Amino acid sequence: MRPQPARTVLLTLLLTGLAACSDPEPPSAKPARDAPVQEREAVTRYLGMEAWPEVRHPLPRLENDEELVASLLAMMSVEEKVGQVIQAEIRHATPDDVRAYHLGSILNGGGSFPNQDKYASLDDWLALADAYYEASMDAGDGRQPIPVIWGTDAVHGHANVRGATVFPHNIGLGAMHHPELMRDIGESTAREVRATGIDWTFAPSVAVAQDDRWGRTYESYSEDPDEVRAYAREIVLGLQGRPGEPDFLGPQRVVATAKHFLGDGATESGDDQGDAQVSEEELRDVHVPGYLGSLEAGVQSVMASFSSWNGAKMHGNRYLLTDVLKKRMGFDGLVIGDWNGHGQIPGCTNASCPAAINAGLDLFMVVDDWKALYENTLEQVNSGDIPMARLDDAVSRVLRVKVRAGLFDRGRPSERAAGLRDAFGHPDHRAVARQAVRESLVLIKNENKLLPIGPGRHVLVAGEGADDIGKQSGGWTISWQGTGNVNSDFSHGTSILDGLREAVGAIGGTVEFSVEGKWTQQPDVAIVVYGENPYAEYQGDLPTLEFEPGNKRSLPLLEQLGEAGIPVVSVFLTGRPLWISREINASNAFVVAWLPGSEGSGVADVLVGDENGEARHDFRGRLSFSWPGTPLQFRLNPHHEPYEPLFELGYGLTYASGETGPANIDAQVSGIQPMNRDSIDLYSGRLLPPWAVFITPEGSPSMMLSGSLAAHASGAITVRTADRAMQEDSLNVRFSGSKPAAVQITGPGLDLGEYLEEGILSFMFLQEQPAEGALRLGVGGALIDLSVQSAAWVGQGWQQLSVPVSCFADNAESLVGVNEAFRIESTGKAEVSFGEVRFLKTGRPNLSCE
């Protein structure tokens, strides 16, 4: 039986005469008992909230909505209120959990799908959304029917779902210098998110990245705060609609989130989740404008940052979350945490953190510790550690957003999505994405007017990125890291090669493709597509800005083609400015394509001319980030001294100008990293290219694992990501014991001969229970038994283990061409976790060979 819309139920209850209560004010500054000293004392150093800008909000509170919120709040039990301030992840919370614990929200993390099936259909997404909704609306046993709200990271389109339109990442969109187009992008994204039954996106990121080593630089529109403000306003209007108009948060709109508040782009050394060591004035003037644009557009949620400001974690910073954001700026929506971010506050854990909610967090984003967090938060409310007024304020904000989003009126998610099935990957959305690709391209160099490509040319297309939609889309694409995808995962997408073939063929030319740059017919021109491999968050943090440090793959290809007398066009795929002076010198034309997403044909629209050799579209992209002239120019912004970029903010050539760009760049600079022959990393926070993870149940062929490795099972063995120091930075392996099985890291043939005498295999290892069978470690087919030694590690937490390479071979010749570089196998039931796997040329072992 269909549940009644919650608004109908509640309005009925209103007739009983329940008095509407006013929206509670946050409690006065009263730090939680376990709040860190640094945060209790830091307020004396603040300028005061009067030094921060006020915001004129476009969205007045509607009396009927506020009465509904107040009425519901008055009828809720403490248990129901606590449930409303918890958001759990779909891998760890079922619809029954939503019903039993009154959970206010759920999310799917990057690489998380219904039934953990990467190939889940729209029907699968809608069915799961309906199941959560119906559980939340169950009024049995006196429960209040409050619709659950589902959030997702639709950060460049609804890219977590196969077949979605994938837009360029923010750094490319910023290069367009076309904020008005962001409204179309927001509208297209909202329709596709709604088509899966989801009501809320954790976008836009309004970070102003200042150190390009940061692994989230591509989530920033620009280093220019004014441009970020303009973009934030337009994308929020696209996602949510314009406040005051009938379609604001209507059936084809979603709740938007401005993130990550505050200063995530200012961290020292570009350290993700690090410390922004900046003055309050710089924090305000450089890093707040994106929030001003979002608030001016009526954004309904703000996400707190993992990072700190001068040592104080943002999830626990009451001055910024409550005094500045909620009071001074007048934000009346909800403040949500980031993935277990509350657990990083000193004195807190993932399962207990009164300091976060007392600071102004309204909704915990908690992963697998949500039940313990629920129980602890309930106890803390009952004991007074969390004042009831603060809990009521948090719950009111969650309810207010749900009411404004229409969740109390529109029934099941599948009913809200009615008529939107065809919107998913719709040609109109793809056309907007293709336009964004065209406008984001930045022309750095065009020697002898090599571009646009004219008619009748034989074009060689080369490079690892030419026919790889996953690589051109970057992180946050189907999987969290954007890895493990193949072109068939993008049912509506086109690779850059696809676009070039079509465009060149249309004007009488031919295309020959070879990743390695080989040809059967002498090319008139070569287009080489290369760049960064996908990454997300801290896994993309860099020590320097050198592209391909110590292991050049692309530069030799460019030089090889140049030496053969072939004019070379470089198309560079990147999520940030990198030091590529040598690659520019080795190219006759150089184009920065950023991370263009699923519509690779947009690149050919600009690079390939018409039948008369004239440009079909001119370049309009200009750098939204300054470009470094050395690998060590990390913090390169006009408001920081010294400012000596290779290419300034706003640089970009056009066909119309006729400018050709730099003929030769000085590439003899400091900071270049030599080839590293002292270590070989296989797994560091994530699986590193070109390595792959395989699982092998005995008697079955090996299976390569794809995607984010979020969860893969094959009877005798299950592999999933695990958290050690950071989110999903390790792998957990469960052996069922039904038959022997193994997990291995495999890749190109390694030459480990130089590691034989003093080298070690080093890795982090966790074992909570004794293994019931033999537990073995292998390299290159050779195995050592860990069964006896591992017994001492049980229950001891993470261990740094080091094994002599000589355990696996007695001569250097046996260590040449090693493909299976790491293997753990078990003959019985066992559960282990591992990470940070590498070979070191010298090191001190702590394990024996026996």
Side-chain angles (χ1 to χ4, degrees), residues 3 79-80 83-84 93-104 106 130-141 143-144 146 148 370 374:
E79 291 79 5
E80 288 171 324
Q84 285 299 301
T94 66
D96 286 341
D97 291 327
V98 168
R99 178 184 296 105
Y101 290 87
H102 324 286
L103 295 182
I106 54 168
D130 279 352
Y132 282 121
Y133 172 81
E134 289 168 358
S136 71
M137 297 299 292
D138 186 344
D141 298 327
R143 286 186 294 265
Q144 300 302 324
I146 304 172
V148 69
W370 66 266
Y374 173 90

Side-chain angles (χ1 to χ4, degrees), residues 51 117 132 290 612 666 676 716 730 818 842:
D117 179 9
Y132 282 121
N612 298 314
D666 182 8
N676 182 6
S730 303
V818 174
T842 60

Side-chain angles (χ1 to χ4, degrees), residues 521-660:
Q521 177 185 340
Q522 179 76 16
D524 297 310
V525 61
I527 300 176
V528 185
V529 187
Y530 58 96
E532 291 191 289
N533 289 310
Y535 56 83
E537 300 192 37
Y538 66 90
Q539 298 193 9
D541 287 358
L542 292 177
T544 79
L545 295 178
E546 181 181 359
F547 173 59
E548 295 183 342
N551 183 24
K552 297 292 184 186
R553 300 186 305 277
S554 305
L555 182 60
L557 174 56
L558 302 177
E559 292 174 335
Q560 164 196 319
L561 293 168
E563 289 167 1
I566 301 170
V568 175
V569 178
S570 277
V571 176
F572 189 51
L573 302 174
T574 184
R576 57 189 139 204
L578 291 171
W579 184 71
I580 47 166
S581 295
R582 291 183 289 191
E583 287 81 3
I584 294 174
N585 287 341
S587 306
N588 301 95
F590 196 96
V591 176
V592 180
W594 310 108
L595 299 170
S598 62
E599 305 310 306
S601 294
V603 175
D605 288 346
V606 183
L607 267 59
V608 181
D610 61 18
E611 60 274 9
N612 298 314
E614 300 296 325
R616 295 182 294 154
H617 299 273
D618 203 347
F619 285 91
R620 64 168 290 165
R622 293 177 287 115
L623 296 179
S624 56
F625 284 82
S626 305
W627 204 276
T630 82
L632 304 180
Q633 288 183 299
F634 311 137
R635 197 173 176 87
L636 189 61
N637 311 292
H639 49 274
H640 291 137
E641 296 292 342
Y643 181 64
E644 299 171 346
L646 178 61
F647 303 112
E648 292 186 351
L649 180 71
Y651 176 91
L653 306 178
T654 64
Y655 292 140
S657 72
E659 296 177 280
T660 60

